[in-house]
């Protein structure tokens, strides 16, 4: 897993890139594409004396106009007709140790109190054909919302957050079997099911959003769209 998420060569970074669409889901109507998104991350893994790997990650998320593909600073909410300010994401580092057991789930600044029992790191691998292997990793969370709806009635979707993240990695089998490779190139599909974003100003309106994206590891920031690279640097 250290070779998949990072590069085991000391000091070397792996960058992740995700692109896709954010979909709105409400009762009694079809699912609607609302806007696009772009993700860029930097990951490093550091080998520990006991053979484990410390994973270090920073990640940025930007939103783009669904029709033009341009990165957005404002957006007209089709559900409310209101023009709202778009807020980019600079995620808290989700750092953990890659070992022979699953790490604890993210705690979101202490809001997620769940600490499941320790489980051996047995991953869900599948051989698709002679040269294709997939890996499925899912996480389902339910934790206290940082935004109290009494204080943030328009920004908060409720007292609790229900979030799922669904990853499907696709890797070449010959790469996995090649011990000389310090990083495993990959592509895949990422979906996230989550409440309305605070800046959408939907409050506790029934419904939610789904991120539907494709991801890959990239060698450098020059391998992502120029407008995304520029905003990362800014």
């Amino acid at each position: 897993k250290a070779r998949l998420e990072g590069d085991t060569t000391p000091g070397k970074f792996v960058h992740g890139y995700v692109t896709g669409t954010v979909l709105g889901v409400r009762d009694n109507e079809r699912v609607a594409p609302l806007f696009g998104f772009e993700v860029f991350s930097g990951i490093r893994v550091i080998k520990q004396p006991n053979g484990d790997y410390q994973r270090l990650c920073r990640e940025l998320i930007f939103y783009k106009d669904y029709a033009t593909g341009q990165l957005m600073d404002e957006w007209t909410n089709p559900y409310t007709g209101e023009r709202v300010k778009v807020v980019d994401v600079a995620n808290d580092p989700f750092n953990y140790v890659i070992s022979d057991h699953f790490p604890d789930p993210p705690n979101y600044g202490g809001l997620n109190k769940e600490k499941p029992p320790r489980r051996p790191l047995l991953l869900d691998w599948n051989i698709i054909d002679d040269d294709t292997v997939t890996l499925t990793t899912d996480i389902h969370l339910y934790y206290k919302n940082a935004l109290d709806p009494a204080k943030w009635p328009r920004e908060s979707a409720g007292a609790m957050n229900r979030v799922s993240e669904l990853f499907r990695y696709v890797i070449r089998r010959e790469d996995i079997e090649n011990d000389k490779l310090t990083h495993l190139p990959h592509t895949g599909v990422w979906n996230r099911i989550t409440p309305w974003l605070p800046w959408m100003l939907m409050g506790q309106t029934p419904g939610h959003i789904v991120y539907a994206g494709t991801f890959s590891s990239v060698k450098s920031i020059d391998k992502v769209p120029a407008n995304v690279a520029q905003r990362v640097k800014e």
Side-chain angles (χ1 to χ4, degrees), residues 20-188:
T21 303
V22 176
L23 307 163
V25 183
R26 302 198 301 179
D27 291 341
N28 303 314
E29 65 181 46
R30 70 181 66 184
V31 171
L34 300 178
F35 41 83
F37 69 92
E38 301 278 334
V39 182
F40 183 80
S41 64
I43 298 177
R44 187 160 58 104
V45 294
I46 304 172
K47 191 171 185 178
Q48 305 299 291
N50 66 353
D52 295 345
Y53 282 88
Q54 171 69 56
R55 174 190 187 268
L56 303 171
C57 175
R58 291 307 307 268
E59 182 179 66
L60 301 172
I61 305 175
F62 312 124
Y63 297 100
K64 62 184 182 180
D65 184 276
Y66 183 69
T68 68
Q70 296 299 308
L71 298 181
M72 303 189 304
D73 295 308
E74 293 184 333
W75 175 68
T76 300
N77 187 332
Y79 297 135
T80 65
E82 185 174 4
R83 190 76 174 170
V84 299
K85 180 183 177 181
V86 174
V87 180
D88 295 336
V89 177
N91 268 334
D92 284 339
F94 180 35
N95 301 333
Y96 58 84
V97 174
I98 300 171
S99 71
D100 57 1
H101 283 73
F102 279 99
D104 290 338
N107 62 32
Y108 295 104
L111 294 169
N112 182 26
K113 307 290 186 183
E114 182 183 9
K115 192 166 184 177
R118 278 173 58 81
R119 294 181 297 138
L121 187 68
L122 300 176
L123 299 176
D124 185 6
W125 300 96
N126 285 285
I127 298 175
I128 300 302
D129 56 35
D130 289 344
D131 195 40
T132 307
V133 176
T134 63
L135 170 64
T136 296
T137 63
D138 296 343
I139 186 169
H140 307 287
L141 303 173
Y142 187 69
Y143 59 93
K144 184 179 180 180
N145 195 338
L147 296 176
D148 182 347
K151 184 178 180 181
W152 304 94
R154 302 198 68 201
E155 293 82 1
S156 177
M160 301 295 292
N161 277 333
R162 180 177 61 192
V163 176
S164 290
E165 300 224 13
L166 315 171
F167 291 86
R168 303 293 182 271
Y169 292 83
V170 180
I171 313 143
R172 286 186 293 268
R173 180 173 178 174
E174 64 184 53
D175 288 346
I176 293 176
E177 295 173 348
N178 183 357
D179 293 337
K180 295 181 180 180
L181 280 182
T182 56
H183 169 66
L184 300 178
H186 57 269
T187 58

Side-chain angles (χ1 to χ4, degrees), residues 4-5 14-19 39-41 43 167-170 183-190 213-220 223-225:
L4 183 64
E5 297 204 25
V14 167
H15 297 289
Y17 173 62
V18 192
T19 184
V39 182
F40 183 80
S41 64
I43 298 177
F167 291 86
R168 303 293 182 271
Y169 292 83
V170 180
H183 169 66
L184 300 178
H186 57 269
T187 58
V189 175
W190 173 69
T214 53
F215 66 82
S216 63
S217 60
V218 294
K219 292 184 178 180
S220 73
K223 300 300 182 181
V224 304

